[in-house]
Amino acid sequence: MSDHARWMREAIWLGWEAMERKSGGPFGAVVVQDGKIVGRGSNQVTAKLDPTAHAEVMAIRAACQSLGRFELRGCQLYTSCEPCPMCLAAIYWARLDKIYYACTRRDAAEIGFDDAFIYEQLPLEIAARTLPMEQVARTESLALFAAWVVKPDKTTY
């Protein structure tokens, strides 16, 4: 069995485990670095009462803790399903090198996990989105941003 197949089977097994434990949806993910799993995650949305506790996010959190850093350059993600927009953004923020996925977002939609709505909302102008957004206190927040720019002891990411 190839390493890709082995790591993907681990991700899929984590999805089975989450489903059996009734902790969330049937999703699992692993982060791999240098041929070793450094983070595992399964969907924990219902167990943690946390809509952000998707398998990919949980695997990223575990890998960052395991490696002692907040970015995952040099790592790959294996996930049982194509990442939702939130997870995809987290993957970009974590700076993972590559994503391997099994099922597609269309496969997920067929079982009731429809990320298409969010994918459709993202490219729209703010005013055209279904979730109302209103800008408030920009001037005060710009002062915060200006202070960040000159902060000598900041950790950039």
Side-chain angles (χ1 to χ4, degrees):
M1 173 186 333
S2 75
D3 287 341
H4 293 305
R6 181 169 47 104
W7 295 321
M8 187 59 76
R9 283 187 180 169
E10 176 73 9
I12 293 167
W13 179 82
L14 288 165
W16 276 103
E17 185 179 60
M19 186 176 66
E20 293 299 318
R21 282 193 327 258
K22 299 179 183 171
S23 62
F27 304 100
V30 297
V31 175
V32 174
Q33 180 188 45
D34 298 328
K36 179 183 170 200
I37 294 175
V38 295
R40 289 175 171 80
S42 61
N43 187 287
Q44 300 289 310
V45 169
T46 57
K48 294 189 177 292
L49 305 177
D50 179 353
T52 69
H54 289 197
E56 296 90 340
V57 170
M58 301 305 287
I60 288 168
R61 289 174 182 166
C64 287
Q65 290 298 307
S66 171
L67 297 174
R69 60 186 210 233
F70 56 81
E71 56 82 25
L72 297 172
R73 285 181 178 90
C75 297
Q76 305 80 41
L77 179 83
Y78 290 78
T79 180
S80 61
C81 189
E82 178 183 359
C84 75
M86 177 189 70
C87 292
L88 185 58
I91 291 162
Y92 274 105
W93 279 117
R95 312 288 197 264
L96 284 149
D97 290 355
K98 188 169 183 175
I99 302 167
Y100 297 90
Y101 65 95
C103 291
T104 67
R105 67 175 99 158
R106 286 164 203 76
D107 296 327
E110 289 180 14
I111 63 165
F113 295 92
D114 195 358
D115 304 334
F117 172 72
I118 301 170
Y119 274 109
E120 291 165 4
Q121 291 284 302
L122 290 174
L124 299 176
E125 292 295 323
I126 289 173
R129 294 178 184 163
T130 59
L131 180 63
M133 293 176 67
E134 182 178 340
Q135 188 174 26
V136 178
R138 180 172 183 257
T139 302
E140 290 86 347
S141 194
L142 282 173
L144 172 64
F145 281 18
W148 173 259
V149 169
V150 298
K151 184 174 173 41
D153 61 342
K154 66 185 171 208
T155 301
T156 56
Y157 56 95

